[in-house]
Amino acid sequence: MNSFVIANSSRCIGCRTCMIACVVAHEGKRIFEIDPDGYAFNPRLFMVKTVKLSAPVQCRHCENAACKQACTSGAINIGNGTVSINSKRCIGCKNCVVACPFGAIEIIKTVEINKDGYPRKIASKCDLCQGVAESPQCIRVCPTEALSLVTEDILIGNLRQKRIDSLNAWL
Amino acid sequence: MVDSVKEIQTTCCYCGAGCQLLFTVDQKANQILDVHPVNGRTNAGKACLKGWYGWDYLNDPQILTKRLREPMIRKDGKKSPLKIVTWDEAINFVADNFKKIKEKWGPNSFLAAASARGPGNEAGYITQKFARAVIGTNNIDHCARICHAASVVGSMQTIGEGAMSLSIPEIEDCEIIFNIGYNAPVSHPIVARRIVRAKEKGAYIICADPRITETARIADKHLQLKGGTNVALVNAMAHVIISEDLLDHEFVKAHTKGFDEFWAIVKEDTPERSAEICGLTADDIRLAARKYASSKHSVITWGMGITQFSQGVETVKCCCSLAMLTGNFGHYACGTGPVRGQNNVQGTCDMGDLPNVYPGYQSVTDPAAQAKFEKAWGVKLDNKVGIQLTRIPEFVIHEKNPANRIHAYYITGEDPAQSDPDLEELRESLDEIDFVVCQDIFWNKTCLHADAILPSTSWGEHDGVYTSSDRGFQRIRKVLEPIGNILPDWEITCRIARAMGYPMPHYRNTEEIWNEVIDLSPKFTGATYEKLEKYVSIQWPCWDKGWTDKGTMFLHKDGYFATPDGIGILKTSPYHPPAEVESKDYPITLCTVREVGHYSVRTMTGNCRTLRNLEDEPGWVEISPEDARELGLKHEELVRISSKRGSVITRASITERVKKGAVYMTYQWWVGACNELTISILDPSSKTPEYKYCACKIEKLPDQKAAWAAVNKTLLDIRMNMHIDITRQGVSA
């Protein structure tokens, strides 16, 4: 089963440290040294604030990912417990953006320039920091520990507990 | 690890939480390789976005402003161009001008502003020593004046000590947390963490705030009161506590006085009466009061939301009184928490950078303290309380008699031309002052009005001690070698002092200065560098240099207050409305707030790459959907906001988290600079401006393209004025 990061809105204080951590993980620490206009700032999780809630929203890494099914260029893959976008194959058709029920995918402008002189735009979303860091960096930096990684074990463990609780509720 | 790679622990340069950060530095390349939080007394291994990612201004990316690298003076008189000179020439120029002004107009024509930011306690000590011993005036102040001065004054008058009575970690063990005018998730995420944890441990959270802040969102009870009605609320809570007999009689009898006078005032403030003023229900006020009084582990935390009002001091006094009435002082996890905004604003108060006290809160009017400092510094000292920095306009453009005016203003690590209220009035005042010195790490708005600019080292480029908001002394350490012809603040000030003929000692390091501080300040005497090295954080009072005195976690132990007779004084005042209320021309109220990823006047965070990516110019004005609908506004659209004093362009943030009739602007923006609009009316005793309430109007800008062009033109002008010579991308919709 794929893992995913989830936010606990009663712990989240809306500070967005997670969003910067995401960019730093994917762009590398060089961004603290280079020309401030020389990199793209594209967090892969999105802070949402309503009257009652504050929490970042990000990819749920669906088992039957609608984005993968909608992808026209075969750029979205499932493997290693994640749904990932192959940025080289992405043509920016936006089908995945439309298909995603969580609003977790967006089209970003990269610093790459296409042959026609326009900036290359591709789909971008959470990849659980696979290949860029040892663990999702948003979880690591959160000052209130509002984010956590939900793995198959945790999910099954929670289910077990919920079932016990529901039985106990009858006592 | 390569030999030149070192790990250095230091205290974060943002906010009073005092987080411990570990830097990995390549000393040979003079480059920071990694920064992450480590376990400290207050932060427990956590940091917010500023702690994690707020350090790259050190390598001068020149986004908003540029680092100062050379001393500069206007040799050929006011308004002549600034010229780069040697340190000797700059120091002599400043010393000569200070001397001339002192001779012509007397010592009280001088005012110094110490820095509550990067320089640290040692520099703060030297700044006040300079004002007092070299110039001969108590006209020494710092930015606490515009934030928590009301907390210091109000707490001093009631419980005798102006700092947080409890420590940050204790907050998570409180049972009732009453937040009033305090939004920790934005001002101190690391304190917010304690509130979140307290809630998970079962604490009941009350939040009094006109907006649905993050604090309000996680609160059990949100009192969404009308702005500017704090006194009415806290008085009514006191009314409930007394009239429903929820008092701690034993505590009140043994440890307080002034009950009858206090009751005479709050007797009138019934919940019904205050409910009408505050826009709340009487039942909600009763509930909050009953909850607050229900525990011996109740804490009141507050911030600028109560202090930046003309009744700031009165609100603070009543908050302290609520804690006394309910016996919530003197034991673990209770008390009062005025949580300090800047990294070293507590320390700058500690160091006596205030017009009424020497280091260690020793009064300038106390002959014994005066004699002690006269002996230590070898000069006669003035026993008259000095003037506060918010009174600059009063003592410059509004003072007819030149003999009573301020003629020299020595500003270190502050940018009043961005942070003070009514900026037009402030700029006029700066230009009227004969001699203005700006000592800073960045070009800022105040530099444009300075006759001399003295470049200093930043946090990360020098050693020292900061005091966290909960009285915790903690070391800061040099991480990088400073680049350019720049010096530590304390050294610059010492050099000016010597050039003026005062025998300022040749301190070899900050520890030598610190030793002088602690030997003159009984409350700090035990906090030696050696002990700070070992214990990392020592909360004052720490009286004894022996290893067993590790400082004091909470104040007023067993109800013995820091007042002269050890008795707390119950005090408050009747409510009165803010100075400038809504009118036909200006029908909306403006309140200034802050942005979590930015800090102070934004010279630092505005030059941090990722922090500016998250939020950039021209800032925001938060407005209710109802008001936005009436004005025909869309979310993120540029609008013009104006008051009687000024007008700026910013973006509309339409949110249900604010009520109709009130708008909110973060004060960090230079294009959407809200202090062009704010009013310079002051609290009568703390002299803190009423930033949180003035009348304004909002206008739709039909030509958005032209408005964006205007924003980018202003930004370009700012960058040129700040001497940035790199072409930078503007901001866009």
Side-chain angles (χ1 to χ4, degrees):
Chain A
M1 202 183 283
N2 298 336
S3 304
F4 61 99
V5 174
I6 195 145
N8 175 349
S9 182
S10 60
R11 281 188 179 180
C12 177
I13 55 168
C15 70
R16 294 171 293 168
T17 311
C18 52
M19 290 171 66
I20 301 183
C22 179
V23 174
V24 175
H26 291 88
E27 292 285 326
K29 283 185 188 137
R30 66 184 189 102
I31 66 173
F32 294 110
E33 299 288 335
I34 63 171
D35 177 359
D37 295 332
Y39 62 88
F41 186 83
N42 293 310
R44 294 157 187 242
L45 68 173
F46 312 93
M47 182 58 64
V48 177
K49 294 189 182 188
T50 67
V51 170
K52 294 239 157 70
L53 297 170
S54 294
V57 169
Q58 54 199 308
C59 177
R60 193 57 64 88
H61 297 275
C62 306
E63 299 302 318
N64 309 303
C67 56
K68 181 180 188 296
Q69 291 169 33
C71 181
T72 53
S73 59
I76 300 183
N77 305 303
I78 299 183
N80 274 343
T82 60
V83 176
S84 60
I85 300 175
N86 180 342
S87 59
K88 290 200 180 72
R89 295 190 76 155
C90 177
I91 60 166
C93 75
K94 301 175 273 293
N95 266 10
C96 56
V97 179
V98 176
C100 174
F102 297 97
I105 310 180
E106 66 171 1
I107 299 291
I108 57 155
K109 199 158 86 176
T110 68
V111 287
E112 268 178 83
I113 304 293
N114 284 330
K115 278 183 191 149
D116 58 8
Y118 288 99
R120 180 169 155 75
K121 293 180 181 177
I122 54 166
S124 166
K125 66 164 200 72
C126 165
D127 57 4
L128 296 177
C129 286
Q130 279 206 0
V132 297
E134 70 273 20
S135 63
Q137 294 297 290
C138 51
I139 298 174
R140 177 184 179 222
V141 302
C142 179
T144 55
E145 294 161 270
L147 294 168
S148 55
L149 184 69
V150 182
T151 59
E152 186 169 2
D153 286 353
I154 291 170
L155 204 60
I156 290 169
N158 282 350
L159 284 180
R160 212 170 278 140
Q161 191 56 46
K162 278 185 202 168
R163 287 166 189 154
I164 294 167
D165 290 348
S166 72
L167 274 188
N168 284 338
W170 291 98
L171 288 176
Chain B
M1 243 186 233
V2 191
D3 271 359
S4 65
V5 174
K6 293 270 177 321
E7 286 189 331
I8 301 167
Q9 186 174 327
T10 191
T11 306
C12 180
C13 61
Y14 300 108
C15 110
C19 299
Q20 291 301 300
L21 303 176
L22 187 71
F23 279 71
T24 308
V25 197
D26 184 339
Q27 290 185 318
K28 205 165 148 203
N30 208 29
Q31 192 187 2
I32 294 165
L33 304 176
D34 183 63
V35 180
H36 64 264
V38 287
N39 201 21
R41 181 179 60 79
T42 57
N43 70 310
K46 302 289 175 194
C48 75
L49 64 172
K50 296 193 289 296
W52 277 97
Y53 309 115
W55 49 269
D56 57 315
Y57 71 87
L58 289 169
N59 60 35
D60 201 16
Q62 301 185 30
I63 301 170
L64 181 66
T65 73
K66 188 178 175 178
R67 281 293 296 271
L68 292 164
R69 302 287 195 200
E70 298 283 349
M72 280 167 280
I73 60 173
R74 295 188 203 275
K75 286 197 213 211
D76 305 313
K78 253 192 141 44
K79 307 255 157 141
S80 71
L82 281 165
K83 287 193 179 140
I84 293 176
V85 291
T86 61
W87 269 111
D88 280 348
E89 190 175 350
I91 296 288
N92 287 330
F93 179 75
V94 171
D96 287 350
N97 276 287
F98 282 168
K99 227 175 356 191
K100 271 186 221 153
I101 288 166
K102 182 181 166 182
E103 276 158 19
K104 186 166 177 194
W105 302 107
N108 290 326
S109 65
F110 172 98
L111 192 144
S115 177
R117 296 162 69 194
N121 282 338
E122 293 84 347
Y125 171 80
I126 294 294
T127 313
Q128 61 85 39
K129 183 174 175 181
F130 179 82
R132 294 192 163 111
V134 183
I135 304 285
T137 181
N138 285 313
N139 292 347
I140 166 76
D141 205 2
H142 72 284
C143 67
R145 189 64 50 206
I146 59 174
C147 60
H148 262 302
S151 304
V152 179
V153 173
S155 301
M156 284 281 198
Q157 289 181 14
T158 48
I159 54 175
E161 200 79 87
M164 280 179 74
S165 79
L166 80 172
S167 58
I168 291 168
E170 284 174 79
I171 294 173
E172 74 171 74
D173 288 328
C174 290
E175 292 173 344
I176 311 288
I177 301 176
F178 176 33
N179 288 278
I180 174 164
Y182 179 50
N183 188 20
V186 163
S187 54
H188 308 90
I190 291 305
V191 177
R193 173 181 173 269
R194 301 287 179 176
I195 299 172
V196 168
R197 287 170 68 88
K199 188 176 160 76
E200 289 189 351
K201 290 182 182 182
Y204 187 88
I205 318 280
I206 305 163
C207 174
D209 199 297
R211 289 187 299 164
I212 303 174
T213 56
E214 292 297 327
T215 312
R217 195 180 63 76
I218 61 170
D220 295 281
K221 186 74 213 167
H222 179 204
L223 304 171
Q224 196 169 6
L225 78 179
K226 180 170 164 38
T229 63
N230 291 322
V231 172
L233 171 65
V234 288
N235 278 358
M237 285 176 67
H239 179 104
V240 173
I241 289 168
I242 296 169
S243 64
E244 296 189 5
D245 197 24
L246 309 172
L247 296 173
D248 183 331
H249 289 282
E250 211 173 295
F251 190 93
V252 171
K253 194 166 167 234
H255 302 291
T256 73
K257 59 186 178 192
F259 182 84
D260 294 342
E261 295 87 331
F262 183 84
W263 173 240
I265 293 167
V266 301
K267 187 170 67 183
E268 308 297 325
D269 292 319
T270 59
E272 282 72 17
R273 191 179 155 194
S274 287
E276 199 155 309
I277 296 168
C278 303
L280 299 169
T281 68
D283 282 348
D284 276 351
I285 296 175
R286 281 203 186 87
L287 172 78
R290 288 171 191 157
K291 279 281 180 192
Y292 175 74
S294 70
S295 172
K296 287 285 173 271
H297 294 287
S298 291
V299 64
I300 311 178
T301 54
W302 69 78
M304 308 292 88
I306 71 171
T307 61
Q308 288 177 338
F309 279 109
S310 55
Q311 273 200 305
V313 171
E314 303 311 320
T315 321
V316 170
K317 284 186 202 164
C318 193
C319 286
C320 294
S321 300
L322 286 175
M324 286 189 269
L325 289 172
T326 54
N328 267 304
F329 272 123
H331 51 271
Y332 181 77
C334 71
T336 50
V339 192
R340 296 308 193 95
Q342 295 190 333
N343 60 310
N344 201 37
V345 74
Q346 183 60 53
T348 316
C349 290
D350 295 349
M351 293 303 107
D353 292 291
L354 293 168
N356 61 332
V357 285
Y358 293 113
Y361 303 96
Q362 303 170 83
S363 173
V364 297
T365 59
D366 170 10
Q370 186 185 346
K372 177 166 83 174
F373 283 92
E374 282 179 347
K375 185 163 174 263
W377 296 342
V379 285
K380 278 265 156 230
L381 296 168
D382 191 4
N383 64 358
K384 199 173 113 261
V385 171
I387 70 157
Q388 300 86 350
L389 61 79
T390 42
R391 296 170 83 188
I392 278 283
E394 177 191 339
F395 280 88
V396 181
I397 53 173
H398 303 307
E399 174 57 61
K400 296 280 175 291
N401 182 359
N404 297 333
R405 278 191 197 159
I406 293 295
H407 291 275
Y409 194 6
Y410 179 27
I411 305 163
T412 69
E414 283 214 17
D415 189 6
Q418 167 72 11
S419 62
D420 284 15
D422 193 354
L423 290 178
E424 184 56 36
E425 184 190 44
L426 193 273
R427 284 190 293 264
E428 246 180 78
S429 305
L430 286 175
D431 286 334
E432 270 306 302
I433 297 172
D434 298 337
F435 192 64
V436 176
V437 178
C438 200
Q439 181 173 306
D440 212 289
I441 62 172
F442 277 108
W443 281 98
N444 61 27
K445 289 184 174 177
T446 308
C447 285
L448 304 179
H449 305 269
D451 299 284
I453 295 177
L454 306 176
S456 55
T457 52
S458 164
W459 163 84
E461 295 169 348
H462 55 237
D463 292 323
V465 174
Y466 288 168
T467 316
S468 65
S469 180
D470 59 354
R471 300 170 277 104
F473 292 129
Q474 304 187 118
R475 283 292 317 276
I476 52 157
R477 293 182 181 84
K478 184 171 170 176
V479 172
L480 292 177
E481 273 309 313
I483 296 167
N485 194 14
I486 66 180
L487 293 172
D489 286 271
W490 58 267
E491 194 173 337
I492 300 171
T493 312
C494 285
R495 284 198 195 187
I496 302 169
R498 287 193 286 268
M500 288 180 73
Y502 178 79
M504 190 69 95
H506 286 268
Y507 304 105
R508 282 169 302 178
N509 52 44
T510 49
E511 186 174 4
E512 290 188 357
I513 303 172
W514 186 249
N515 287 338
E516 187 174 315
V517 175
I518 60 178
D519 286 343
L520 285 165
S521 316
K523 278 178 187 163
F524 312 152
T525 300
T528 61
Y529 262 45
E530 209 183 358
K531 273 163 74 177
L532 284 172
E533 205 64 47
K534 184 164 175 201
Y535 299 140
V536 185
S537 186
I538 297 176
Q539 290 172 277
W540 64 255
C542 179
W543 310 91
D544 191 87
K545 286 187 180 170
W547 288 103
T548 51
D549 188 349
K550 296 179 183 178
T552 309
M553 185 194 279
F554 54 83
L555 298 176
H556 319 302
K557 192 163 180 344
D558 302 328
Y560 294 98
F561 290 102
T563 49
D565 59 2
I567 303 289
I569 309 163
L570 298 163
K571 275 187 183 180
T572 189
S573 281
Y575 164 76
H576 69 69
E580 186 182 84
V581 294
E582 306 85 311
S583 63
K584 198 169 136 275
D585 292 337
Y586 299 97
I588 295 178
T589 64
L590 168 68
C591 174
T592 69
V593 293
R594 77 170 87 185
E595 179 62 57
V596 62
H598 285 290
Y599 177 70
S600 185
V601 293
R602 220 169 111 258
T603 42
M604 292 149 77
T605 53
N607 288 303
C608 289
R609 293 163 178 82
T610 56
L611 297 177
R612 82 96 193 224
N613 288 138
L614 212 54
E615 285 300 343
D616 204 351
E617 300 283 359
W620 301 96
V621 56
E622 288 186 339
I623 185 167
S624 70
E626 295 94 319
D627 284 327
R629 208 173 304 126
E630 269 174 34
L631 290 157
L633 302 178
K634 286 201 299 282
H635 187 59
E636 298 197 11
E637 161 172 356
L638 288 175
V639 294
R640 177 166 291 285
I641 175 162
S642 318
S643 76
K644 281 180 189 166
R645 293 156 293 279
S647 176
V648 297
I649 297 179
T650 187
R651 282 169 297 178
S653 172
I654 303 172
T655 167
E656 289 172 300
R657 289 187 175 193
V658 309
K659 274 189 177 172
K660 180 173 165 36
V663 297
Y664 300 82
M665 287 175 85
T666 40
Y667 76 95
Q668 275 94 6
W669 309 108
W670 289 32
V671 176
C674 59
N675 283 328
E676 299 288 351
L677 317 182
T678 49
I679 190 166
S680 62
I681 196 91
L682 306 175
D683 177 290
S685 52
S686 75
K687 307 292 178 192
T688 306
E690 191 154 73
Y691 287 106
K692 294 280 188 257
Y693 207 99
C694 73
C696 73
K697 65 175 174 188
I698 292 185
E699 291 160 282
K700 188 177 168 71
L701 295 169
D703 188 346
Q704 285 289 300
K705 221 173 139 192
W708 277 109
V711 164
N712 277 312
K713 170 77 173 59
T714 310
L715 187 57
L716 185 69
D717 289 346
I718 287 168
R719 285 172 172 160
M720 276 171 59
N721 282 332
M722 296 301 118
H723 295 256
I724 291 178
D725 39 26
I726 307 164
T727 316
R728 285 251 167 271
Q729 289 169 13
V731 285
S732 58

